[in-house]
Structure formats: structure tokens, C-alpha cells
Amino acid sequence: MSCCGPSRRTLLGAMASAALLSALPASRVTAQSVSPVATDLEVVTVTDQSVVLTWTTVAADESGRLVPVPSDAEVRLGAADSVRGPVPVFADPERTPFHYAEIGGLEPGRRYRFEAWSQGARATPALSLTTLTPGTPETTGEFTTLLPPPGRLLRTIALANDVHYGETVSGLVVGGFPPGFRQLAGLPPYPEVMLDALLDDLRAREVDRLVVAGDLTSEATPEESRGVRARLDTWGALGTDYLVTRGNHDRPHVGYQGCTHLGEHRDCWGDNFLPPQQLVEHEVGGLRLLGVDTSELDGSGGRIDRPQFDRLAEVLRADPDRPTLVFGHHPVTRESGLTNTAGPGFVLNGPDSAELQHDYERAPGVFLHHSGHTHRNRRTRPDANIAVEFLEVAAVKEYPGGYSLLRVYEGGYMVNFYKTRAESARRWSSTTRGEYFGLLPDYTFGTFADRNHVVLRDFSGLS
């Protein structure tokens, strides 16, 4: 999907991903006499009591190309079994091209009918299989709120990853391919925009702990490592309020100065956070959080060194039934290896994956393994007979630009993915929809069930 030329292919591409054009200078983003088109509708988040919708408004500029334009926003909502149609429940007084509507006060387990409107145009989904597949909320105009697990809400943990602090071009895979995206001149670097938006969101949502599963930096330089640490420290204390583990981008590099020597490598990230291959151990109200460093010294694949493996096994063996969340950068399962764009060599290597899942067989308290690296929302099947959810969470730094909340109840947990809300973050998220020639949403957004689901388990012993 190209941004250049007025062909039919370009028109469809622009409607499917207005993001490709959202980085144009402000002087080009001017609505003409034609009515705006409301597109890119996504039902992002559905909890037991709320829903989050996003969409974009575009119109033709003086050359006939579709560009984002500010407009109003309205959401109409009603119970699907009501004889009345949806009624207005949300109106945004601030005009923007990048709309974010969160509606609360809904009833658990109830089906609702909805419509999103901007300036007389009803929002429709982009030309993306993720949202155009029959039966999705975007195609039916309906969603059903989740039924929360029984019992009290005990803890809320934010799951995040892939900040890439210091990165300047988003969407590159190999060299300069495919074409990447840069922040507009004069605006703050996009990793800083997206990380700040994340932290602002978490402050508003009363999160108990933040877990960041790797790739905090772009290249683990001294400046990047210090910078991302300083920003995270504005939210809380490392090891208490937020926990981190290392990703492949955070690995020790050759050629840096003034950092800890590891042979010819220099570990600037480790000087600000943790030494290589060190297990993170934390407990809150009886819930155990374990962070595994899966980074290699060189390369993008994943591994776990023997001393860390032994420590992990020792911790699990000492209390195998304790409810445990594990997080690490690289996904674990064979399904993840076969379905990510880079292939099996991109995830945790086979022998380490098998051993890790074998450890989980002997520790039934492990209920969820959170990873990043693939920049997508996806749940994959374990390779062993274990009741562990393997959850990949989309990147903070680019579309869809957000994090997941893990809400732990006495009788189970609920997972919900949220996009970050700041205006600058919504603009950048919309821009980077255009990555991978406009195909990024099909890869990273995930299904409704990947983003929003409930699992029943007994957590009654937690406080």
C-alpha cells in the first residue's frame, strides 16, 4: 500500500491505513469541501465494564490524496437486546483526526450494539483481515463485555515491552527495508512520546506493578540506557514498582566506552539495570513475579544460560504451587516460532524452550508467561501438558502502541490490551500503521480474544 499517486490502489491503501499520510506537514493536512471519511475503526479493549474504540478521520487534500483531518467524535451505544437503537454516550469536544473513546459503566456479560461517528460519517474498519473477518465487533457492530472471574480484584499488573528508546526509524527489518517511518521534525523522539504516554496511562489506571519484558533501548548505548532508566524512575522504583528484563536490543555491544567490560563487549544497559542472565525475583501479596533474561550476547534469538536456568528451577521447586507470572523477552512456544515473520530462530531456542516448559510441568503455580520481541498481540499453545498461557504483547513504541493489564482476582485473571491515549501517541500509532507496506495491523493487532480474555484459576490464597 503506497502513499504516492492517486491510483485506485493508493486510494484503498490510504483508507485502509490513513497512517501512511499522517506524517505529512500540517500545511498539507487540510480538509477540502468533501466530507471526511471515518476509517480504521477498532474495538481495542473490552473489559467487564468498559469498551475502548479508536478510529481516524481523513479527507482529500488539494491534490486529491486522503490525509488525516480533525473532526468531532461521537459514540452511540445500547444493549443489543433492546428495541431502542444505540443512543449517544460519548462526545469528544476536542477536534482531532485520531479518535479514542472509552465508555465505562457497562454491565458484565452483556451484548451491546455500537456506532462511532465523526462529522456525519459512520466509522468503518480498515481493509484489514484482523478487523474485516466475519464476526468481529468491527463488522457486526456488536461486542459482549467480559464476565470477570469470581471474587475480589487483588492486583493489577501492567505488561509492556519493546520501547526501543533511542530509535529514530521505526519499521525496519533488514538494512533500510522495508521503508521505515521517522518522527516529524520538531516533535519529540517517538520512543519518548510512547513511553511517556504509557506511564501517564498507568498512573491513571491504578496499576500495582509495571513489568517491561525487554528491548527497553534501541542499541543499549550509555545515553539510551541512562535515558530510559530516568524516565522509568519517574513512575517508581526499579525492583519495587517496576521490573525489567533484557531484550536482544539491550545486549552488551562492542565499541562503547565507560561501561562494564564483558570481554570485548561493554554492558551499558547492565550498569543501569541488571547484569546479563540474572533472574529477577519479586513477590507482591503472595503473587510471584520472575523475570528471565533470554538475550544472547550477539544475535536476535533467545537462550537461557545454565546458572540462570538452575536458579529458576530452584525457585520454582521451593514453592511449586505459588501463583507465578514469568516474563522474558523471547517467546517460547513452537507455534510462536512458526508464526512470527522472522521464523523459529527468532524465539527461544528449542532445547531451552523444552527445558523451560518441563520446569513448568513441575510447578503448577505458573499460570502466565509474558514475552515481547514479535511486537504483536498473540496467545500461543504450550508444547507440553501445562496450564500456562503464553502471551505476546504488542510493542509500546509503534502501532498499536500500548500495553496489557493483567487483573488478578480471587478466582482467576482478566487480560486486556490498551492503546496509549495521549494525542501525540495516537498520532504516531496511526502513522506506523503503514509499516510493512500497510500490513502491520494484520500482524500485530491480534484477534479480539488475544487482546481481551478471562481465565479461571484459584488465587484465593493471595492477599
Side-chain angles (χ1 to χ4, degrees):
M1 299 179 183
S2 168
C3 66
C4 305
S7 68
R8 180 176 180 273
R9 177 183 177 90
T10 300
L11 179 63
L12 292 174
M15 294 182 67
S17 184
L20 286 172
L21 299 172
S22 62
L24 288 173
S27 61
R28 300 293 305 279
V29 186
T30 304
Q32 302 302 297
S33 58
V34 297
S35 299
V37 173
T39 184
D40 297 345
L41 174 66
E42 293 176 345
V43 182
V44 183
T45 313
V46 175
T47 73
D48 55 327
Q49 301 180 48
S50 64
V51 62
V52 176
L53 313 175
T54 62
W55 69 98
T56 304
T57 45
V58 298
D61 68 3
E62 60 271 20
S63 67
R65 300 200 308 176
L66 291 176
V67 295
V69 293
S71 73
D72 61 8
E74 178 183 275
V75 175
R76 304 170 190 172
L77 187 72
D81 56 359
S82 173
V83 295
R84 297 178 59 195
V87 299
V89 295
F90 172 91
D92 190 351
E94 295 187 15
R95 296 173 64 85
T96 176
F98 312 110
H99 306 287
Y100 185 109
E102 183 166 4
I103 297 98
L106 307 183
E107 296 180 32
R110 188 157 194 186
R111 189 160 54 96
Y112 289 89
R113 187 176 299 119
F114 73 95
E115 299 171 0
W117 292 81
S118 284
Q119 220 160 302
R122 184 173 176 179
T124 58
L127 299 182
S128 165
L129 292 176
T130 302
T131 50
L132 282 181
T133 299
T136 63
E138 293 85 358
T139 59
T140 63
E142 296 183 355
F143 65 87
T144 301
T145 50
L146 302 182
L147 282 172
R152 294 178 299 121
L153 174 63
L154 302 173
R155 288 284 179 271
T156 300
I157 311 295
L159 309 177
N161 42 265
D162 294 280
V163 177
H164 290 225
Y165 193 92
E167 185 178 274
T168 58
V169 183
S170 185
L172 301 179
V173 177
V174 178
F177 184 85
F181 290 80
R182 295 179 181 271
Q183 182 66 288
L184 284 176
L187 295 181
Y190 62 82
E192 298 177 17
V193 166
M194 301 304 281
L195 178 55
D196 288 348
L198 165 70
L199 300 179
D200 286 344
D201 262 27
L202 300 189
R203 292 183 184 100
R205 297 196 187 278
E206 299 182 356
V207 171
D208 296 298
R209 296 291 186 276
L210 166 61
V211 167
V212 188
D215 278 5
L216 282 70
T217 65
S218 177
E219 293 297 333
T221 67
E223 296 76 18
E224 291 172 1
S225 302
R226 289 193 299 267
V228 74
R229 172 68 191 269
R231 266 186 156 76
L232 288 168
D233 282 349
T234 66
W235 193 78
L238 174 64
T240 302
D241 301 305
Y242 73 93
L243 311 172
V244 304
T245 193
R246 190 188 302 250
N248 57 296
H249 281 261
D250 305 318
R251 69 190 186 279
H253 283 60
V254 175
Y256 297 161
Q257 301 297 320
C259 304
T260 295
H261 288 228
L262 295 174
E264 63 179 349
H265 294 76
R266 302 292 184 270
D267 188 16
C268 306
W269 191 93
D271 289 344
N272 288 273
F273 293 103
L274 300 163
Q277 292 287 319
Q278 177 173 306
L279 184 70
V280 175
E281 305 173 39
H282 183 72
E283 187 176 306
V284 52
L287 175 65
R288 182 167 55 192
L289 307 177
L290 299 176
V292 182
D293 182 350
T294 57
S295 65
E296 298 178 341
L297 187 58
D298 291 297
S300 60
R303 62 170 294 162
I304 304 173
D305 288 353
R306 177 48 46 196
Q308 185 181 202
F309 243 140
D310 291 344
R311 177 56 187 165
L312 174 63
E314 178 185 358
V315 170
L316 294 177
R317 187 167 54 247
D319 197 353
D321 296 313
R322 178 169 298 281
T324 302
L325 161 69
V326 182
F327 63 100
H329 187 61
H330 292 81
V332 174
T333 66
R334 281 197 292 268
E335 180 184 346
S336 182
L338 293 172
T339 57
N340 81 82
T341 57
F346 199 60
V347 303
L348 189 67
N349 69 59
D352 287 358
S353 170
E355 181 174 348
L356 183 64
Q357 294 183 70
H358 182 59
D359 286 345
Y360 291 169
E361 287 183 300
R362 295 175 293 185
V366 178
F367 65 91
L368 188 143
H369 185 114
H370 157 225
S371 59
H373 198 43
T374 57
H375 296 199
R376 63 182 180 176
N377 290 309
R378 188 175 179 117
R379 290 188 294 171
T380 62
R381 298 180 300 272
D383 306 313
N385 185 25
I386 51 177
V388 179
E389 175 177 343
F390 289 90
L391 178 68
E392 299 165 39
V393 176
V396 171
K397 65 107 174 176
E398 65 191 350
Y399 173 89
Y403 56 95
S404 286
L405 290 187
L406 172 71
R407 295 182 173 96
V408 180
Y409 294 76
E410 290 177 312
Y413 64 87
M414 179 163 56
V415 171
N416 297 107
F417 177 79
Y418 291 84
K419 293 181 180 180
T420 47
R421 287 176 285 186
E423 169 79 14
S424 54
R426 284 181 280 148
R427 171 176 287 277
W428 179 251
S429 179
S430 182
T431 297
T432 50
R433 286 181 66 94
E435 291 180 15
Y436 296 1
F437 302 105
L439 298 176
L440 189 68
D442 280 319
Y443 179 60
T444 61
F445 191 46
T447 68
F448 180 87
D450 288 327
R451 301 189 308 275
N452 305 286
H453 55 272
V454 170
V455 176
L456 301 180
R457 289 189 67 129
D458 183 9
F459 294 139
S460 57
L462 300 178
S463 61

